[in-house]
Amino acid sequence: PEQALYFLERAAASPSGGEIARSILGEAQMHSGRLEDAERSFRSVIASVPSSYSPRINLANLLIRRGVLDEAEEHLRHAAAARPDLFQAYNNLALLLLDSGRSDEAAALVREKASSQPNDPAINRCLANILNYVDEQRPGESLAAHRIHGEWIERAAQAARVPSGGHSNFPDPDRRLRIAYLSPDFREHSVAYFIEPVMRRHDRERFEVFAYSNAAAPDARTEVFKSIADHWRDIARTGDTSAAGMIRADQIDILVDLAGLTHNNRLGLLALKPAPVQMSYCGYPSTTGLSAVDYRLVDQVTDPPGSESRCVERLLYLRPPGSFSCYAPPPGMPEPAPLVTGTPVVFGSFNVLSKVTPPVVETWCRILTQCPGSRLVLKARSLAEPSVRRRYAESFASRGIDRDRVELLGPLPGVADHLAVYGRVAIALDPFPYNGTTTTYEALWMGVPVVTLAGITHAGRVGASILTALGEPLLIARNTDDYVRTACELAADLSRINTYRTTLRGRLGSSPLCDAEGYTRRLEEALRIAWSCWCGSTR
């Protein structure tokens, strides 16, 4: 990088250097961590050529890192207007809108592009992600978007595939299996809370555990995963074809993907079908869109019978009791706060703002209106940006909720500080149609009951899955009217709130939701079923 910068700086300073050299220089500075220099380079190009495309996108990315979302949005809109034939600016703009809680705007923007370019894989990838956060306007919209993107990935993989003659794994249903977990999140990430206890407790006499890590920025948690995997493979800088060769050489029997369409995924690797059995699990709430992925690991509540019509993969059910996930509370979590005294109560939600959509705000305002004097604590990373806080404050105020009844908080330094805020919350409100997962477990662990709305998608039924396994069906609403009624009835029952305060942590800790040993055995049963099916197909 330093050599590249040396030449680019001289090219940009030369009389014939011009905007292209300065633009490339800015990219090199950005990738070398010289962010202030990069910003100056991009601004210089934009000042000379206002119709610049890539420099505006890159400058917007830098501004998003700093939390300057209003100006970032302005640059992305300029870039999109300058090159309406390209999608990158629209993609980044949609993600900015999504992350700042404007999910409906993001969906409308991408739906408009998809209507004019219905088979564009990049547009459909973006649409597929966003549709997890909003209600579908037509049945099958999400599946279609995932499928178009998946088929494009598989066509690209087919072109690159080296003929292999199938898989040479020995088809014995009872032998020790080699399973591999594939993830960019073997690091400090919410997915780590759910996969670490499983990897620790696999029966090593029956399963040999591999970890294929695509973590771009390894951390201390990465070292923990290295220590618990039987075999560690870092593929962050390894291409799909080479990584597929590694998986084949390791004779992996079952490859378990933990990312789906999330950031830094390796769907192109999965499309090469390096293992005879492949499945999606835990990290993404919808289909991968890939026919090369055989199964999605789910439970009967997240994906009741009939849900097969929403995905490309077959559904592989974990048997009861419990949920599709298993929670391991991080060490050092504070104790639940003292009992709630007096009314009115305080509601709370600590979910990302992409889940706190206008319909969610509308419903929460109904709750606040029907519970006079009650308050809401809303905490999210994006609320550190003043323009986002202002917009949410205005959103509640426009619906008749006084500003002093809604407290908007940005991120806090550590996990303990974050969880301590639950001490001020009596009832947690789960967003919809994309429920919380880690946030729901954290609230329950801190003694705070969670009111959820059971939707129609996996993303919208995670709350119902957790609460069903915990034995709390009365906290699961069927529609928004039921959601409002459930929250208000609970708010009026201080005795019930305090019973939750003193019992939820113990109940959660002793429930199947935190029984890592029992959960891992059920997961292994499901893996063995999938393997037996493949063995049968080879006869």
Side-chain angles (χ1 to χ4, degrees):
E2 291 305 316
Q3 289 182 345
L5 286 168
Y6 174 87
F7 291 108
L8 286 165
E9 285 167 351
R10 279 147 187 78
S14 70
S16 60
E19 287 72 30
I20 293 177
R22 278 182 284 158
S23 178
I24 300 172
L25 172 62
E27 292 187 31
Q29 291 166 330
M30 181 171 64
H31 291 298
S32 298
R34 292 168 50 178
L35 303 186
E36 292 182 2
D37 291 339
E39 183 173 334
R40 279 192 291 269
S41 295
F42 294 138
R43 289 191 185 279
S44 171
V45 176
I46 293 167
S48 301
V49 186
S51 61
S52 296
Y53 187 74
S54 293
R56 282 196 185 272
I57 293 176
N58 285 322
L59 177 58
N61 290 341
L62 291 175
L63 292 170
I64 289 169
R65 286 196 201 186
R66 288 171 39 201
V68 186
L69 302 187
D70 284 354
E71 186 184 353
E73 180 180 344
E74 181 182 338
H75 285 294
L76 290 172
R77 290 192 183 278
H78 271 294
R83 291 297 306 270
D85 56 314
L86 301 178
F87 184 64
Q88 187 62 55
Y90 288 95
N91 179 85
N92 291 17
L93 175 59
L95 295 179
L96 182 152
L97 295 173
L98 185 70
D99 289 344
S100 56
R102 297 154 69 183
S103 306
D104 289 355
E105 290 181 58
L109 178 76
V110 183
R111 277 173 170 144
E112 182 180 355
K113 294 297 290 182
S115 66
S116 60
Q117 297 170 260
N119 295 312
D120 187 300
I123 294 174
N124 279 280
R125 179 188 65 237
C126 186
L127 181 61
N129 264 310
I130 289 172
L131 288 176
N132 291 315
Y133 296 87
V134 297
D135 290 318
E136 289 188 87
Q137 290 186 345
R138 57 185 184 274
E141 182 182 22
S142 177
L143 176 60
H146 282 88
R147 193 189 293 276
I148 290 170
H149 178 245
E151 289 173 350
W152 173 75
I153 290 177
E154 292 188 322
R155 284 195 301 271
Q158 188 67 39
R161 183 180 297 174
V162 177
S164 64
H167 298 94
S168 60
N169 306 61
F170 185 59
D172 178 355
D174 299 316
R175 69 171 173 83
R176 187 184 189 215
L177 297 181
R178 290 187 161 200
I179 61 170
Y181 292 100
L182 168 66
S183 179
D185 299 321
F186 290 126
R187 57 190 176 89
E188 197 59 48
H189 188 276
S190 57
V191 168
Y193 294 149
F194 300 99
I195 195 61
E196 182 184 332
V198 171
M199 289 178 64
R200 285 187 182 278
R201 290 169 176 81
H202 269 305
D203 181 350
R204 268 22 187 216
E205 292 186 359
R206 303 177 68 230
F207 295 89
E208 189 174 357
V209 179
F210 291 69
Y212 284 80
S213 174
N214 197 47
D219 55 22
R221 196 70 178 271
T222 307
E223 296 303 314
V224 173
F225 279 107
K226 282 185 182 180
S227 71
I228 61 177
D230 298 325
H231 307 278
W232 179 263
R233 306 284 187 258
D234 186 346
I235 60 168
R237 292 168 182 81
T238 303
D240 288 340
T241 302
S242 296
M246 293 169 61
I247 292 170
R248 284 183 175 274
D250 283 334
Q251 286 283 289
I252 299 303
D253 298 309
I254 302 177
L255 179 60
V256 184
D257 175 60
L258 305 176
L261 269 69
T262 59
H263 179 65
N264 213 20
N265 69 71
R266 297 300 294 266
L267 293 182
L269 170 56
L270 291 167
L272 292 169
K273 192 66 171 178
V277 178
Q278 300 188 156
M279 56 186 65
S280 174
Y281 166 58
C282 183
Y284 187 67
S286 188
T287 180
T288 62
L290 296 177
S291 62
V293 177
D294 304 289
Y295 299 99
R296 285 182 60 232
L297 273 161
V298 298
D299 67 55
Q300 293 282 352
V301 178
T302 58
D303 296 76
S307 300
E308 296 87 350
S309 63
R310 305 187 65 86
C311 60
V312 172
E313 308 87 348
R314 284 169 284 176
L315 297 181
L316 182 60
Y317 288 99
L318 293 169
R319 68 170 175 82
S323 172
F324 76 102
S325 61
C326 178
Y327 181 61
M333 295 179 79
E335 290 297 316
L339 299 180
V340 178
T341 58
T343 52
V345 303
V346 177
F347 297 97
S349 174
F350 297 175
N351 289 272
V352 292
L353 292 187
S354 50
K355 299 181 180 182
V356 186
T357 61
V360 172
V361 172
E362 176 71 36
T363 303
W364 288 353
C365 286
R366 289 176 57 193
I367 293 171
L368 293 172
T369 299
Q370 293 185 31
C371 299
S374 61
R375 297 176 61 251
L376 172 68
V377 177
L378 189 59
K379 181 180 177 297
R381 173 181 51 81
S382 299
L383 287 172
E385 165 62 19
S387 65
V388 176
R389 285 201 307 274
R390 182 171 59 253
R391 186 165 44 77
Y392 268 90
E394 291 171 353
S395 182
F396 282 96
S398 68
R399 293 173 170 85
I401 304 301
D402 292 341
R403 291 176 185 264
D404 61 358
R405 294 181 64 192
V406 180
E407 184 177 0
L408 304 173
L409 299 175
L412 294 172
V415 174
D417 299 309
H418 158 72
L419 294 173
V421 182
Y422 277 112
R424 294 152 51 191
V425 175
I427 302 168
L429 299 175
D430 199 15
F432 55 86
Y434 198 149
N435 299 161
T437 304
T438 305
T439 49
T440 298
Y441 277 116
E442 288 177 344
L444 295 171
W445 190 254
M446 297 306 297
V448 178
V450 181
V451 175
T452 192
L453 192 160
I456 60 173
T457 65
H458 178 104
R461 298 183 61 83
V462 169
S465 172
I466 294 170
L467 292 172
T468 297
L470 189 60
E472 285 293 340
L474 296 180
L475 295 175
I476 304 169
R478 297 160 298 180
N479 51 50
T480 53
D481 288 342
D482 193 27
Y483 184 93
V484 172
R485 180 192 58 77
T486 300
C488 292
E489 286 183 356
L490 179 55
D493 192 342
L494 195 60
S495 175
R496 185 179 166 201
I497 291 172
N498 280 327
T499 298
Y500 282 128
R501 197 71 146 198
T502 57
T503 62
L504 272 179
R505 176 172 291 195
R507 289 177 55 204
L508 178 59
S510 61
S511 77
L513 294 166
C514 290
D515 176 14
E517 192 73 30
Y519 176 86
T520 304
R521 299 290 85 76
R522 293 192 295 277
L523 175 63
E524 289 173 346
E525 287 177 17
L527 296 175
R528 189 64 68 173
I529 289 170
W531 175 249
S532 296
C533 288
W534 181 79
C535 292
S537 72
T538 64
R539 298 193 182 112

